[in-house]
Amino acid sequence: SDYVLPVIMRLLALVLAGLVQASLAYDEVHSDEYLKLSAEEKSEKIFRNCLENTSPANWFSTFKMLGLFWESMCPTLTTRGDEMPGSRNKYIHTVGAVAQVRWQDLGSHPYTGLFKGAGHGIVRLSLAKEPDTDDLTTVPGMGLKFLRDGMDSANLVAMYSLAGQESWNFFRNDFSNHIGSASASNLPIAIKFARYVMHIQQVGLSDWSTHDQTGTPVDSPVFPYRLRFHPTGDIMFSDTYTRPHTEDLVTIQNGSTLYEIYALDKPEEMGGKENHIANLVTVSKMVTSRWGDKQLFFRHQDMLEDLKIRPEWKEFTPKFGFNHETNC
């Protein structure tokens, strides 16, 4: 009996694990049928997936991280829908927290489409790489998407810096869809990205301006050159390590203003002016999510798409490497 009981217990544990796994009924969020749904329906499907398992993912080992250098970056630019394609791994920004959000428009700006306000968004706040709890350096960033009726979502990513910040306070610094140049330690990643796009420090915004939340096309789209996401100061955490960043983030409540959103209409060298155009406000609690860490996808719009519409901005927009078209 001393031998049989442990065997039975192990078998029961395996059965229970199988039942738990079978209960994780994730909705697909990429097909043509899915894209035809309303913005609200798509937001609910995404967040329901996020709530199925609120355990965060594990960081990748150094050996596994080498996979980043073997995979193509094209799916990051071209994949339709709101989930990672195939068996692709999220090597960067691996562990984070997710919430539903709204874009609270403040008016008094010329920007069109989603910039005029939207109620069905998904934000994911994460660290770009695994932090060292004995070090102050963290590399925070954000993925943001807003769903539109009957068509694909608009997406962007934003960070403070590729080099990170000397603080564990996620809201210590502003984020932007334009970031500074890569440090020496990030040079291998920069070289890889530059094989596909030459504007590796920016993501575009023009897709946000073409349709509103109902999917109605805009006759004459207008979009800013750059966005800046400014913490309000209402959400602050310790500068030194006290607990994992996700444990800080899940304390953020429904109805919290995560960021004030400032838009720069054109490059500063051209006399660009920045205005406070919106606030990013949570409409759910913030949660950790296994699906969010592994499957939730934020497409990166190639900055070259914006520059083809506004070619006068090009000479003031940093690029990495030589001039070339997008290699996808």
Side-chain angles (χ1 to χ4, degrees):
S1 63
D2 290 344
Y3 170 75
V4 173
L5 186 59
V7 171
I8 292 173
M9 295 301 292
R10 283 198 293 272
L11 287 172
L12 284 172
L14 288 171
V15 170
L16 287 172
L19 289 173
V20 168
Q21 187 62 36
S23 71
L24 300 180
Y26 297 125
D27 289 329
E28 64 84 9
V29 291
H30 69 274
S31 68
D32 289 343
E33 295 305 313
Y34 164 77
L35 294 177
K36 291 176 184 176
L37 297 175
S38 70
E40 181 177 10
E41 289 171 312
K42 287 182 281 194
S43 175
E44 290 304 317
K45 278 180 176 284
I46 291 170
F47 202 60
R48 191 161 58 242
N49 282 354
C50 290
L51 293 174
E52 278 284 350
N53 181 348
T54 54
S55 299
N58 298 315
W59 294 97
F60 289 101
S61 67
T62 302
F63 176 75
K64 283 260 188 147
M65 283 294 296
L66 294 174
L68 172 66
F69 296 97
W70 295 106
E71 68 178 11
S72 169
M73 291 296 102
C74 289
T76 304
L77 302 168
T78 61
T79 296
R80 299 171 73 236
D82 300 308
E83 62 187 319
M84 296 284 281
S87 58
R88 193 175 179 85
N89 289 317
K90 199 177 290 186
Y91 292 112
I92 304 175
H93 294 281
T94 306
V95 180
V98 183
Q100 293 174 300
V101 289
R102 65 186 176 97
W103 185 286
Q104 181 188 43
D105 179 48
L106 300 181
S108 301
H109 64 79
Y111 310 119
T112 59
L114 293 171
F115 292 113
K116 287 193 172 295
H120 301 296
I122 301 287
V123 68
R124 182 170 179 268
L125 305 179
S126 61
L127 296 184
K129 64 178 183 178
E130 184 174 7
D132 180 348
T133 57
D134 294 325
D135 190 354
L136 285 178
T137 304
T138 60
V139 190
M142 172 177 70
L144 180 65
K145 71 167 68 257
F146 274 85
L147 292 308
R148 300 179 284 201
D149 294 352
M151 62 181 297
D152 211 345
S153 58
N155 298 256
L156 63 80
V157 291
M159 294 179 68
Y160 165 62
S161 163
L162 287 173
Q165 60 184 20
E166 294 301 299
S167 174
W168 277 80
N169 177 12
F170 198 93
F171 294 90
R172 169 59 58 191
N173 291 292
D174 294 357
F175 289 169
S176 177
N177 64 309
H178 291 213
I179 57 176
S181 58
S183 62
S185 62
N186 288 313
L187 195 58
I189 294 176
I191 292 171
K192 177 181 175 57
F193 287 178
R195 289 173 50 197
Y196 300 91
V197 295
M198 61 180 177
H199 297 286
I200 66 171
Q201 297 167 226
Q202 308 87 15
V203 294
L205 299 171
S206 53
D207 186 40
W208 289 67
S209 69
T210 61
H211 298 76
D212 66 15
Q213 182 173 273
T214 68
T216 302
V218 173
D219 290 335
S220 299
V222 180
F223 55 94
Y225 176 65
R226 185 187 73 199
L227 293 179
R228 178 169 62 89
F229 297 85
H230 177 66
T232 64
D234 293 336
I235 306 171
M236 298 288 280
F237 302 117
S238 172
D239 284 317
T240 57
Y241 176 79
T242 58
R243 56 186 178 181
H245 70 289
T246 49
E247 292 185 19
D248 283 338
L249 295 173
V250 297
T251 65
I252 298 173
Q253 298 299 307
N254 185 344
S256 301
T257 299
L258 298 177
Y259 297 102
E260 296 172 347
I261 304 168
Y262 291 80
L264 181 69
D265 60 348
K266 56 188 174 182
E268 291 168 344
E269 296 87 342
M270 296 176 63
K273 302 295 183 184
E274 189 181 63
N275 291 305
H276 182 193
I277 65 166
N279 296 320
L280 189 65
V281 182
T282 60
V283 295
S284 77
K285 61 183 179 181
M286 184 158 277
V287 298
T288 49
S289 169
R290 183 62 57 95
W291 186 90
D293 285 346
K294 288 184 169 293
Q295 295 300 124
L296 181 58
F297 173 68
F298 296 89
R299 189 170 44 262
H300 296 39
Q301 185 181 3
D302 186 356
M303 184 65 189
L304 193 58
E305 294 178 13
D306 286 18
L307 298 179
K308 286 181 176 179
I309 299 169
R310 300 300 300 269
E312 67 273 19
W313 295 350
K314 191 167 185 177
E315 66 175 295
F316 305 111
T317 304
K319 69 180 191 313
F320 186 91
F322 60 91
N323 286 317
H324 64 87
E325 290 293 311
T326 302
N327 186 24
C328 285

